[in-house]
């Protein structure tokens, strides 16, 4: 089995400033920590770095830092941070990003924006600029914002979009699981009608607060598999965010090694059980979506 982790975060508060970090997350998760938490029993493993939201003025610095540690972390591509609603400033920022060979796409975090933000003229103008470069867009939204992503696909039909974390549906926990809602199923089906949109099989462990099992999450995986098919799904770890486990005592979350490995093999087993081609979900689809030539064998195996 070979793996491209389509959604990996790296950060170091000693290098960059992240105002959102707290608790166990407020420490370095970079090369050393990643190498201690590798996926087991695979022939090759690489990753696509997705921006970790440092302060806005450090967006380029983040790309520069990740590029510097890419060889040792197996990062073959970067989805950089970019605000798409700044007009000429957006275009200038995209020009700066283009100087880095590993940048293949951008993410403007939509989950913290007001509903309808992705439908505004300024944002659509920026999205068109991304599409004109042949880059991708990672859409990180809450479940109720999925219709905004659908509207964006209709406004910018040549923009390749991947929905992060299945749109963050409410999944409950292992001892109090929730079923997929009718609204989320409907919105996923609507989005899937647009062939330029893919979905990342990522983030559900975080939505469960780190307390999850296969029976709880597989109904959500089944919905996106039925809607999108095996050619438009890609596995992602959402490491280290999805490696946080909620304390049973109600204290701070704590980091658990091995969750990345567990989630990868959970997806592989689920795909096998459903008759889906595992190599597509864990390797080929991510490379194809992000336009990455096949990584050199053995670099990060």
């Amino acid at each position: 089995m070979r793996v491209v982790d389509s959604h990996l975060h790296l950060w170091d508060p000693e290098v960059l400033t992240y105002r959102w970090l707290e608790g166990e997350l407020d420490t370095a998760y970079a090369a050393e920590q990643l190498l201690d938490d590798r996926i087991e029993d695979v022939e090759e493993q690489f990753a696509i770095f997705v921006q970790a939201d440092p302060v806005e003025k450090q967006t380029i610095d983040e790309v520069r830092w990740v590029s510097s540690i890419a060889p040792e972390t197996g990062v073959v591509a970067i989805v950089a941070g970019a605000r798409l609603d700044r007009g000429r400033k957006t275009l200038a920022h995209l020009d700066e990003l283009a100087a880095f060979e590993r940048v293949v796409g951008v993410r403007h975090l939509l989950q913290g924006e007001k509903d309808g933000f992705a439908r505004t003229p300024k944002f659509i103008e920026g999205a068109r600029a991304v599409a004109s470069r042949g880059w991708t867009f990672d859409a990180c939204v809450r479940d109720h914002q999925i219709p905004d992503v659908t509207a964006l696909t209709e406004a910018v039909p040549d923009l390749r979009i991947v929905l992060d974390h299945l749109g963050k549906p409410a999944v409950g926990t292992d001892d109090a699981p929730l079923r997929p809602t009718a609204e989320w199923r409907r919105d996923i089906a609507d989005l899937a009608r647009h062939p330029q949109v893919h979905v990342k099989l990522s983030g559900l462990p975080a939505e469960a607060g780190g307390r999850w099992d296969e029976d709880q999450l597989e109904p959500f995986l089944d919905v996106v598999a039925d809607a999108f098919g095996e050619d438009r799904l890609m596995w992602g770890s959402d490491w280290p965010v999805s490696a946080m486990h909620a304390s049973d005592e109600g204290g701070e979350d704590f980091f658990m090694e091995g969750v990345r490995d567990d989630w990868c093999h959970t997806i592989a087993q689920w795909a096998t059980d459903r008759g889906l081609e595992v190599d597509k979900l864990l390797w080929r689809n991510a490379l194809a979506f992000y336009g990455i030539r096949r990584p050199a064998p053995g670099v990060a195996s």
Side-chain angles (χ1 to χ4, degrees):
M1 192 167 77
R2 51 188 185 169
V3 174
V4 173
D5 184 345
S6 72
H7 203 95
L8 177 78
H9 299 299
L10 299 165
W11 61 72
D12 188 344
E14 296 295 321
V15 177
L16 301 169
T17 301
Y18 309 84
R19 295 203 174 105
W20 64 277
L21 292 182
E22 59 183 9
E24 280 285 303
L25 287 176
D26 192 12
T27 189
Y29 289 96
E32 180 181 350
Q33 293 76 20
L34 179 65
L35 293 174
D36 286 340
D37 202 16
R38 295 169 64 77
I39 302 164
E40 302 294 333
D41 303 319
V42 296
E43 300 165 12
E44 299 174 74
Q45 54 185 296
F46 298 92
I48 295 160
F49 169 81
V50 177
Q51 61 95 216
D53 208 27
V55 293
E56 187 177 348
K57 67 180 181 180
Q58 293 182 343
T59 303
I60 299 296
D61 295 330
E62 179 182 51
V63 173
R64 185 178 295 110
W65 173 67
V66 173
S67 296
S68 74
I69 63 173
E72 59 187 309
T73 56
V75 168
V76 294
I78 292 172
V79 176
R83 289 205 59 96
L84 300 186
D85 60 331
R86 300 287 176 81
R88 287 179 296 175
K89 289 184 178 180
T90 291
L91 298 180
H93 183 67
L94 297 180
D95 286 342
E96 284 191 81
L97 291 175
F100 296 89
E101 63 178 358
R102 282 186 172 84
V103 172
V104 295
V106 301
R107 184 169 79 159
H108 175 143
L109 268 175
L110 292 173
Q111 66 180 14
E113 303 286 5
K114 294 181 179 179
D115 292 357
F117 182 83
R119 305 175 190 243
T120 60
K122 281 291 188 182
F123 187 89
I124 290 172
E125 177 186 355
R128 287 175 176 152
V130 173
S132 71
R133 293 179 178 274
W135 288 350
T136 62
F137 180 72
D138 266 58
C140 186
V141 297
R142 303 290 180 185
D143 54 358
H144 65 276
Q145 297 171 309
I146 295 175
D148 287 343
V149 182
T150 303
L152 179 62
T153 68
E154 293 165 351
V156 192
D158 55 345
L159 179 64
R160 289 176 295 133
I161 297 174
V162 60
L163 180 68
D164 293 347
H165 316 325
L166 289 75
K168 294 195 167 186
V171 300
T173 61
D174 56 350
D175 58 355
L178 296 175
R179 301 289 297 180
T181 65
E183 293 79 9
W184 177 76
R185 295 171 67 103
R186 176 201 64 211
D187 292 341
I188 286 291
D190 289 344
L191 184 60
R193 294 189 180 97
H194 300 273
Q196 72 271 41
V197 182
H198 292 56
V199 172
K200 287 186 179 178
L201 306 177
S202 60
L204 294 190
E207 294 307 301
R211 300 171 60 186
W212 58 277
D213 61 33
E214 294 86 347
D215 291 340
Q216 170 199 0
L217 299 184
E218 283 183 357
F220 296 88
L221 301 175
D222 289 339
V223 168
V224 295
D226 290 340
F228 283 85
E230 66 177 7
D231 293 329
R232 293 194 285 156
L233 304 176
M234 63 186 82
W235 173 77
S237 70
D238 188 33
W239 187 90
V241 179
S242 281
M244 290 293 156
H245 188 84
S247 170
D248 293 332
E249 290 75 31
E252 289 188 352
D253 294 354
F254 57 93
F255 177 79
M256 288 187 63
E257 286 189 4
V259 173
R260 184 170 179 247
D261 177 78
D262 288 345
W263 182 237
C264 179
H265 285 89
T266 293
I267 294 298
Q269 187 59 57
W270 163 78
T272 299
D273 293 343
R274 277 200 57 128
L276 305 175
E277 192 171 343
V278 174
D279 194 59
K280 287 185 176 181
L281 273 60
L282 297 188
W283 181 269
R284 284 151 52 194
N285 290 349
L287 295 180
F289 176 80
Y290 285 110
I292 305 165
R293 291 181 296 178
R294 189 190 187 284
V299 171
S301 60

